[in-house]
Amino acid sequence: MIRYRQRQALALVLAALALPTLAPVATAGTTIPEAATDIAASAVIDRAESERRKPLYSVVNKTRLPASEDAHDYFSFAPYWWPDPDSDDGLPYVRRDGEYNEATLGDATDKQRLIDFIDTVNVLSWSYRLTGDERHAQRAVAQLRHWFVTPETRMAPNLRYAQAIPGRVEGRGIGIIESRLLIGLSESIRQLAPSPALTDETLGPLKQWYGDYLDWMLTSENGRKEHSKRNNHGTWYDAQVVAFARFVGRPALAKRQLHEALDRLEAQFEPDGRQPLELKRTRPWHYANFNLAAWSVMLREASALGLTWPEEEADRTRLAAAYRWVADHAANPDDWSYQELHGFDPAIALPNLVTAARHRLLRDDSLLQDSGRIGPLFQRWVQDPDRDSAMAATALLSLAKAPTALP
């Protein structure tokens, strides 16, 4: 049960739903059911104390080194690649799209460690916001310093060796998609801004790290390759550049990337909203929503920059059709005709639909207007045993407010 003080803080989060975003974008009053937000807040608060006792995470703790032999370099394996059963040593690995190789999440590499680190900071920072418990802010800052600042344990600001494939390649541009989680982490850092724990001596190096990583994305061969991708990889590249540029105080770069991102609309979305590049995958519903999630990030970031984006009516119409297509299928799951490797879950569309409605791209969406229909879906989204409850909970709390600026 959330205590009275926590409910007061939670009320502030809920109140943000009724407020416009950071202008001049006109916003729709989109309701996230209070019961679902209560569940999210409870999940975060309940978990925060155990997260406060978690060890400090660092990339130097991996048991296997990347090709650079530098433990400070982030290192991961491609998740959809598996040992070749017809090869004595399993090399080179072979691709099985949509089938996640859980061995890629072991201690040998950094992907699960990055997920756990960000999950911990997200929980601690949101618990601090909800409860005012300085111990949670202090531990979140300690985690951030250990990962990004402390010379002995900091991560180098690059993903050269992300999504390596044994027997094939030491790292790929595609691996940059793994740093999309840093977008949400930047919002968690903002939640810590009122705390004395987040001093200028910490915030400055954090923003410097993000800025250095942003420059690596913009200038490296891996970054250029990812930028050139036509599908969700390219969209998530754009979303990261926009979010990181705003975080480090480079609004001109963020605005430029938003403008360039619109060039993807025609290639990604049919006039009726279908996404051919994502629908041909083995998990089409997941990837259609995954790609839209990057567009949702850019909608929120553009609003925080004070922009009406997309500005041109033709661009807004094309993007709105994509959200409408997803909304229609979320509301009518029995009509889904694409083959799914892992089934169809309408609830994963909800964050995208809330964002689209808030930015007036779903003005007449009956799914979101009818709280009796959306309430159970939101609760399922938070409580789904196949989805990490804390990450889902912090994402829902983030969705309930507009992006904020650092002091």
Side-chain angles (χ1 to χ4, degrees):
M1 181 67 68
I2 301 177
R3 296 186 294 273
Y4 176 73
R5 182 182 177 192
Q6 296 164 349
R7 282 192 174 277
Q8 281 186 313
L10 179 57
L12 297 177
V13 179
L14 293 169
L17 295 174
L19 298 176
T21 52
L22 298 185
V25 179
T27 58
T30 301
T31 300
I32 298 177
E34 184 174 353
T37 318
D38 259 7
I39 292 171
S42 294
V44 167
I45 294 167
D46 289 347
R47 184 165 165 179
E49 196 60 25
S50 64
E51 293 299 319
R52 192 171 67 87
R53 292 177 168 80
K54 289 288 180 67
L56 296 177
Y57 295 101
S58 167
V59 292
V60 303
N61 293 336
K62 55 180 165 284
T63 61
R64 181 169 176 172
L65 292 177
S68 66
E69 297 189 356
D70 186 345
H72 294 274
D73 285 330
Y74 178 91
F75 180 38
S76 67
F77 287 131
Y80 297 155
W81 290 77
W82 295 74
D84 184 349
D86 297 326
S87 171
D88 290 340
D89 60 2
L91 300 177
Y93 274 30
V94 294
R95 186 170 186 255
R96 288 156 54 178
D97 185 36
E99 297 183 41
Y100 209 109
N101 184 350
E102 297 292 335
T104 64
L105 298 176
D107 287 340
T109 56
D110 292 314
K111 183 174 182 179
Q112 187 61 51
R113 190 171 292 105
L114 175 68
I115 293 170
D116 291 342
F117 156 67
I118 292 177
D119 190 15
T120 293
V121 175
N122 288 348
V123 168
L124 290 170
S125 65
W126 273 103
S127 179
Y128 164 70
R129 170 168 178 166
L130 291 167
T131 67
D133 191 332
E134 279 292 337
R135 297 174 304 163
H136 297 168
Q138 291 165 3
R139 190 59 176 178
V141 169
Q143 289 280 3
L144 289 164
R145 289 189 60 83
H146 200 68
W147 189 278
F148 292 117
V149 180
T150 303
E152 294 79 12
T153 57
R154 74 189 296 267
M155 173 184 164
N158 71 76
L159 255 68
R160 288 191 194 95
Y161 305 103
Q163 294 213 7
I165 303 173
R168 293 183 181 271
V169 65
E170 296 173 346
R172 302 185 296 163
I174 282 175
I176 288 174
I177 204 164
E178 293 182 8
S179 58
R180 73 187 186 279
L181 298 177
L182 297 176
I183 298 173
L185 184 67
S186 67
E187 179 61 22
S188 289
I189 294 171
R190 291 185 178 98
Q191 305 310 316
L192 297 168
S195 172
L198 188 64
T199 63
D200 291 343
E201 289 74 21
T202 293
L203 182 57
L206 289 177
K207 294 174 80 170
Q208 181 66 51
W209 191 97
Y210 267 85
D212 291 345
Y213 179 67
L214 174 59
D215 288 337
W216 178 81
M217 286 182 62
L218 293 169
T219 60
S220 67
E221 181 181 359
N222 282 17
R224 288 191 292 270
K225 285 182 177 180
E226 192 71 342
H227 186 206
S228 70
K229 298 295 183 182
R230 298 172 66 241
N231 66 351
N232 67 80
H233 279 267
T235 321
W236 276 110
Y237 176 92
D238 292 337
Q240 290 184 70
V241 170
V242 171
F244 301 160
R246 184 174 77 86
F247 181 68
V248 301
R250 295 163 67 177
L253 172 58
K255 293 174 183 178
R256 186 189 77 190
Q257 200 70 31
L258 284 167
H259 178 74
E260 291 183 6
L262 297 175
D263 293 339
R264 300 188 190 279
L265 285 170
E266 189 170 346
Q268 289 189 355
F269 305 119
E270 296 291 342
D272 66 356
R274 287 181 299 114
Q275 300 181 51
L277 297 175
E278 311 303 335
L279 294 175
K280 67 181 182 181
R281 302 291 297 274
T282 60
R283 301 166 62 201
W285 178 243
H286 162 80
Y287 278 104
N289 280 283
F290 185 56
N291 186 44
L292 276 183
W295 288 99
S296 294
V297 167
M298 289 190 281
L299 282 166
R300 294 192 294 270
E301 293 292 325
S303 178
L305 288 164
L307 302 177
T308 299
W309 182 88
E311 185 176 4
E312 298 295 329
E313 187 60 30
D315 292 337
R316 291 188 67 81
T317 297
R318 178 79 68 156
L319 187 57
Y323 282 105
R324 164 57 57 192
W325 192 87
V326 166
D328 288 343
H329 286 287
N332 302 284
D334 292 341
D335 294 340
W336 187 251
S337 59
Y338 295 87
Q339 186 172 355
E340 289 283 347
L341 186 63
H342 299 309
F344 183 94
D345 178 6
I348 68 172
L350 287 169
N352 284 328
L353 303 188
V354 169
T355 299
R358 183 170 286 144
H359 292 272
R360 296 202 177 276
L361 295 175
L362 283 178
R363 298 185 185 184
D364 61 344
D365 183 65
S366 61
L367 177 66
L368 291 174
Q369 290 173 353
D370 185 350
S371 61
R373 297 172 69 197
I374 113 178
L377 286 179
F378 265 114
Q379 293 185 43
R380 176 180 174 184
W381 187 65
V382 176
Q383 294 178 314
D384 190 333
D386 293 330
R387 186 179 295 114
D388 184 282
S389 61
M391 292 196 83
T394 55
L396 180 59
L397 293 173
S398 296
L399 185 66
K401 64 180 292 296
T404 55
L406 284 167

